[in-house]
Amino acid sequence: MILEYKNIYKSFGDKEVLKGVNFTAKSGVANGYLGRNGSGKTTSFRLLLDIFRPDKGEILLDGKPINRRDIKIGYLPEERGMYDGVGLVDQLVYFGMLKGMDRSSATREAKKWLEFFELEDNKKQLKTLSKGNAQKVQIIQCIIDNPDILVLDEPFSGLDPVNVGKLKEVINSAIAKDKLVIFSSHQMPVVESFCEDINLLEKGKIVLSGSLEEIKKEYGHGRMILKASNYNENDLKNILNKENLGIDFSIQDKSLLLDYVSSNSKNNFVNYLAKSDVDIEEFKLYKPSLEQIFVEKVGDLDE
């Protein structure tokens, strides 16, 4: 499946929230839809769910206007939207039946997923659970009917490392089944660990999109990482600075970051290393983290 937002505009009163958004997500890969708070992510998701209608533009699935009666969409909102005073199985069955499941199937799936997420005491009410356990119930609500499209807004919120791993297992299983998975999160290291394609939204516009691997190469700007086993990063920097190699050196994470000043300095530097006493432990293309790219492109995550 290929989901496309084509030139989407959406305003609320005088406030223009989405300003010509063009966004593509493919099934079988993890699609990151990222942005700072207030950038328009939640509005984008609500348009997909038909909670809002775009002022202009269209949402296509495999090249045709999306028909939500023929496709199942599982949505995990950032804010909890379930019932505090109802038992876990009862309300999961209720949500499953709202999605078109029969009671028997919804009960079976609710109990299966509660066991998977180690919430077997299913007579508990949501209000008695920790934030992390409540988040797991929200996740089950999202996936209980085996949806074709998963939309996950801050899915890792409140989860400990064990349950982050469980959720990643669920996401990877959906991807392996060729589901269409879109998620948004501020936890960039977790996103980076399995995200393949990303879209960055800033002030209602997509400002960066494509393969994360290719974007990281682009934002590395051809720089290299060098680490030696016989010199620490400070000593290595001092030695190389004396050689007038046409390279700017800076320290990054106990390694040297090399920025070539001239077009032939790379070959000259490789020749120098071959003749020097530097015992190379690591020499590779520099790829910035997703968080570094995010901050460079759209600003601080905390803003």
Side-chain angles (χ1 to χ4, degrees):
M1 288 184 291
I2 299 178
L3 177 72
E4 296 176 275
Y5 282 48
K6 305 281 283 186
N7 200 34
I8 295 289
Y9 286 80
K10 183 62 183 175
S11 297
F12 297 96
D14 294 333
K15 184 174 177 59
E16 191 175 34
V17 178
L18 299 178
K19 308 169 185 177
V21 166
N22 290 286
F23 160 60
T24 300
K26 300 174 290 186
S27 60
V29 300
N31 299 273
Y33 194 65
L34 313 173
R36 294 190 293 180
N37 292 331
S39 61
K41 302 187 301 296
T42 299
T43 298
S44 300
F45 295 152
R46 288 175 176 172
L47 291 172
L48 175 60
L49 296 166
D50 206 29
I51 296 171
F52 301 141
R53 298 286 176 88
D55 300 329
K56 182 181 176 183
E58 57 184 345
I59 299 176
L60 306 178
L61 188 64
D62 292 333
K64 300 176 182 178
I66 187 169
N67 187 338
R68 294 167 185 84
R69 291 173 294 181
D70 297 335
I71 203 83
K72 292 188 291 185
I73 302 175
Y75 177 49
L76 176 70
E78 181 177 1
E79 299 298 330
R80 194 170 73 204
M82 299 181 71
Y83 301 106
D84 281 343
V86 180
L88 302 187
V89 170
D90 288 343
Q91 68 171 305
L92 286 171
V93 169
Y94 170 71
F95 279 103
M97 292 177 71
L98 284 179
K99 294 168 183 275
M101 302 177 74
D102 61 70
R103 182 178 294 275
S104 175
S105 298
T107 301
R108 183 182 66 249
E109 290 299 305
K111 290 181 176 180
K112 179 189 80 173
W113 285 112
L114 286 168
E115 182 178 356
F116 175 80
F117 282 111
E118 300 177 356
L119 287 169
E120 296 165 60
D121 187 3
N122 51 51
K123 292 184 180 179
K124 283 186 174 180
Q125 296 178 351
L126 199 67
K127 64 184 178 183
T128 68
L129 302 182
S130 67
K131 180 180 179 182
N133 282 339
Q135 179 73 349
K136 290 189 282 186
V137 179
Q138 286 260 111
I139 292 165
I140 296 170
Q141 168 275 134
C142 176
I143 61 178
I144 192 169
D145 65 331
N146 190 29
D148 305 294
I149 299 174
L150 276 174
V151 181
L152 308 171
D153 196 353
E154 295 295 343
F156 305 107
S157 176
L159 298 182
D160 60 36
V162 171
N163 285 300
V164 166
K166 283 183 173 290
L167 178 54
K168 288 172 71 174
E169 184 180 336
V170 171
I171 294 172
N172 286 327
S173 175
I175 290 168
K177 294 174 183 175
D178 207 34
K179 306 284 189 182
L180 201 154
V181 180
I182 306 170
F183 63 93
S184 174
S185 177
H186 286 154
Q187 298 182 40
M188 293 297 164
V190 179
V191 173
E192 191 169 10
S193 68
F194 63 91
C195 179
E196 295 180 51
D197 291 344
I198 64 167
N199 290 266
L200 262 60
L201 187 69
E202 171 67 0
K203 296 180 180 178
K205 295 181 178 181
I206 298 291
V207 295
L208 185 66
S209 64
S211 159
L212 178 56
E213 185 67 17
E214 293 302 315
I215 289 171
K216 290 175 79 168
K217 287 180 182 178
E218 178 185 347
Y219 276 74
H221 303 297
R223 292 170 287 182
M224 302 289 291
I225 287 287
L226 174 65
K227 190 172 184 178
S229 57
N230 57 336
Y231 292 108
N232 65 39
E233 62 275 14
N234 288 297
D235 291 340
L236 185 59
K237 179 182 178 183
N238 291 334
I239 290 168
L240 296 178
N241 272 331
K242 295 176 182 177
E243 298 296 329
N244 194 25
L245 296 165
I247 299 174
D248 290 332
F249 301 99
S250 59
I251 293 174
Q252 173 135 348
D253 297 329
K254 297 186 177 180
S255 301
L256 283 191
L257 181 61
L258 284 59
D259 194 352
Y260 300 106
V261 175
S262 61
S263 57
N264 63 349
S265 56
K266 184 173 183 178
N267 288 335
N268 292 340
F269 183 63
V270 170
N271 291 333
Y272 165 80
L273 286 178
K275 298 174 184 177
S276 73
D277 69 339
V278 175
D279 186 4
I280 299 173
E281 181 176 330
E282 189 175 46
F283 188 46
K284 65 181 183 180
L285 189 67
Y286 168 67
K287 296 177 185 177
S289 70
L290 177 56
E291 184 164 343
Q292 289 171 315
I293 294 169
F294 188 105
V295 171
E296 179 178 341
K297 191 66 181 178
V298 304
D300 197 316
L301 284 167
D302 295 329
E303 288 187 15

